[in-house]
Amino acid sequence: MKTALDPRHKKREALVKYLYAASFRPRVTKAIKPIWSHLKTIDPLIVEVAPEWPVSKLNPIDLAILRLAIWELVVDKQAPVKVIIDEAIELAKAFGGDTSPGFINGVLGTICKSKKLLPNS
């Protein structure tokens, strides 16, 4: 489990909060602009692996966590894949509902397998 003092975790928490807020009032802050500018890449990946959950029907906090994690996995590519997934699950535990961690893990795992982002995938 990540410590609350880890600056990278704190940054991810802040980004998720900004992304969450933007789902209610599309105000793109400087902090999330790099992520928001790639939604045309990110959102179709969510739809592809979770077709029973249209983006418009997803829990907004789950959507924010997924958008951040998928951006990190597919666009930014700075952190190790396993770290990105672990962080997303921790954020889901902290901010999401009871089923959020499993849902987030499933979506990200499927994306990683389809994009061959994990060894042996």
Side-chain angles (χ1 to χ4, degrees):
M1 184 190 262
K2 305 289 179 242
T3 172
L5 300 176
D6 183 344
R8 294 164 296 191
H9 184 76
K10 286 290 201 194
K11 181 179 179 185
R12 284 184 178 103
E13 281 183 350
L15 289 171
V16 164
K17 289 175 184 178
Y18 286 130
L19 288 164
Y20 174 78
S23 68
F24 295 102
R25 51 175 171 70
R27 183 174 158 255
V28 181
T29 63
K30 184 178 178 183
I32 63 169
K33 191 172 188 173
I35 301 163
W36 206 261
S37 68
H38 285 90
L39 291 187
K40 288 182 179 177
T41 301
I42 295 167
D43 288 357
L45 289 173
I46 298 169
V47 172
E48 180 183 318
V49 300
E52 66 280 5
W53 292 102
V55 171
S56 63
K57 300 292 183 199
L58 280 176
N59 174 340
I61 195 68
D62 291 351
L63 180 59
I65 294 166
L66 284 172
R67 283 175 167 169
L68 172 59
I70 294 168
W71 177 79
E72 285 190 275
L73 288 168
V74 177
V75 179
D76 189 49
K77 300 179 182 179
Q78 296 298 309
V81 171
K82 291 185 185 256
V83 170
I84 295 167
I85 293 172
D86 287 347
E87 283 285 328
I89 293 167
E90 290 302 317
L91 290 166
K93 288 177 183 175
F95 299 113
D98 292 341
T99 60
S100 294
F103 176 70
I104 299 287
N105 186 43
V107 169
L108 295 178
T110 303
I111 288 171
C112 287
K113 286 177 187 160
S114 73
K115 297 288 182 193
K116 300 190 181 340
L117 298 172
L118 289 172
N120 303 322
S121 58

